[in-house]
Amino acid sequence: MRIDEILSKKRTLSFEVFPPKKGAEEKEALLSTIEKLKTLRPDFISVTYGAGGANAREATEISGCIKKMGVEPLAHITGGPSSKSDIDRVLGELKKLGVENVLALRGDRPVEYEAEYCKYFPHATDLISYIGDDMCIGAACYPEGHIECQTLYDDIVNLKKKQDCGASFLITQIFYDNSYYYRLLHEAGKMGVTVPIIPGIMPLISAKNINRIKSMCGSAIPLDFRNMIESYSSNPTVMREIGLNYAVYQIIDLIAKGAPGVHLYIMNRAETATEIFGRLKNVFNELF
Ligand code: FAD
């Protein structure tokens, strides 16, 4: 089923997984993770895709497995350095497997930008237009602005182009301060973005991840939360509890203010999703 259709009827709960890097053992572990996630009745599970399409085969295969397991997959695709025939091949495979939803992205550019890098698909908008309307297309957005944009305003102008090219829903980059998400909704709304914007939440359950998150996506960590993490960074069990509770707080606040769903970045850890679901069982059962 198309995700835009699901969103027109209800709030969505979704998870993001990444394809295995190594052989059969990792694949089996991921499939068992997906079986566990399925018991939480997600509306869809998204599958990440390497920036250069290097893991296209594995990513496509996992999307096909999710479909077979009876959950709706959302296959990420990055334009990046791909040629049109690379994209045709991946889309053809996905369609054969019954996948109806893709998240169209440009992908991160190499640090040393080469002019040739994004020859055919310099931006997600080019990929969205190329895919056309025979699939349901989602795209990425950035509550704190994309790193390459001078201002949030410029980034939202480009976000509106994603909608105009055919994206029918958006998923946000990770954020830890919900006010960035509300600001994005407000500003994007003023510029005519009307498609649902699903907030992306990643529970920060290990102090080691603070610097990783900063370098990966630059998300700001509110001072109160940072203080809690730093006070207990040497105690992993307390740290985990703090991170899960903070994610729960973010989700309740988002739902109370009308978010159209929640997308959880769980780093292939079913237990993280299960714990959050357990703490918010009635919220998910009654409000989703
Ligand atoms: P774009 O939309 O092309 O945006 C990149 C920059 O160009 C922005 O500054 C934007 O404002 C500007 N821009 C956009 N359109 C135009 C235009 N038409 N003209 C001029 N400027 C424009 N990366 C992966 O490699 N694999 C993944 O699976 C993956 N999944 C992700 C999922 C989500 C929900 C998010 C938020 C990000 C994901 N990323 C993934 C990271 C993403 O690839 C990077 O953030 C990348 O730098 C930008 O991708 P984009 O699709 O937003 O690019």
Side-chain angles (χ1 to χ4, degrees):
M1 189 175 187
R2 291 173 60 107
I3 290 170
D4 52 8
E5 253 182 68
I6 304 176
L7 279 162
S8 70
K9 295 185 184 117
K10 70 183 286 292
R11 264 200 183 107
T12 56
L13 168 64
S14 52
F15 304 116
E16 181 166 308
V17 298
F18 54 86
K21 286 202 184 87
K22 295 177 206 140
E25 228 172 88
E26 264 195 38
K27 184 181 162 194
E28 280 314 307
L30 177 57
L31 295 182
S32 132
T33 295
I34 295 166
E35 276 295 351
K36 289 179 193 144
L37 294 177
K38 187 182 163 184
T39 64
L40 308 178
R41 299 190 309 280
D43 294 286
F44 62 91
I45 295 180
S46 84
V47 182
T48 64
Y49 185 96
N55 66 352
R57 201 167 49 83
E58 292 82 355
T60 306
E61 198 185 329
I62 295 297
S63 290
C65 293
I66 293 173
K67 183 81 188 177
K68 266 201 199 137
M69 289 159 103
V71 180
E72 215 46 66
L74 168 63
H76 297 202
I77 305 190
T78 59
S82 306
S83 65
K84 290 184 176 173
S85 61
D86 293 333
I87 296 296
D88 290 342
R89 198 168 43 245
V90 175
L91 289 176
E93 251 332 285
L94 289 171
K95 282 180 199 163
K96 255 195 258 162
L97 294 165
V99 177
E100 295 174 71
N101 303 287
V102 291
L103 191 74
L105 302 142
R106 186 198 64 192
D108 278 325
R109 294 194 296 206
V111 181
E112 292 298 316
Y113 176 64
E114 298 158 33
E116 283 293 291
Y117 183 71
C118 295
K119 190 169 159 193
Y120 299 105
F121 302 104
H123 288 292
T125 41
D126 302 289
L127 184 59
I128 296 167
S129 304
Y130 186 71
I131 296 170
D133 55 14
D134 57 338
M135 287 192 106
C136 170
I137 307 172
C141 63
Y142 303 85
E144 295 171 60
H146 186 264
I147 194 156
E148 288 164 32
C149 253
Q150 293 278 329
T151 67
L152 180 68
Y153 176 86
D154 294 340
D155 203 26
I156 295 178
V157 168
N158 293 325
L159 188 59
K160 170 72 164 54
K161 291 182 197 160
K162 294 188 189 188
Q163 174 182 290
D164 294 343
C165 290
S168 57
F169 67 97
L170 301 164
I171 301 181
T172 75
Q173 181 59 281
I174 300 160
F175 58 87
Y176 291 95
D177 181 342
N178 288 1
S179 50
Y180 287 111
Y181 171 76
Y182 302 130
R183 180 183 65 172
L184 174 72
L185 288 189
H186 184 72
E187 296 301 322
K190 281 202 298 199
M191 281 191 224
V193 175
T194 53
V195 298
I197 301 182
I198 303 173
I201 300 294
M202 183 157 103
L204 183 47
I205 51 178
S206 153
K208 278 188 298 203
N209 289 347
I210 298 185
N211 289 336
R212 202 163 148 250
I213 280 161
K214 280 205 109 174
S215 64
M216 211 170 72
C217 52
S219 307
I221 300 186
L223 187 60
D224 283 356
F225 184 35
R226 200 178 177 104
N227 282 340
M228 290 180 218
I229 295 168
E230 283 174 357
S231 302
Y232 298 101
S233 58
S234 58
N235 187 330
T237 43
V238 173
M239 182 54 226
R240 182 175 169 78
E241 197 80 0
I242 291 170
L244 289 170
N245 280 318
Y246 191 80
V248 162
Y249 155 76
Q250 280 192 281
I251 295 169
I252 296 174
D253 183 61
L254 290 162
I255 297 309
K257 295 198 175 88
V262 175
H263 184 70
L264 284 176
Y265 295 92
I266 51 152
M267 309 304 284
N268 289 7
R269 296 215 171 94
E271 62 278 12
T272 304
T274 307
E275 284 209 45
I276 293 207
F277 191 90
R279 285 160 204 234
L280 284 170
K281 209 161 146 195
N282 294 325
V283 170
F284 287 124
N285 285 340
E286 296 193 19
L287 305 177
F288 277 63

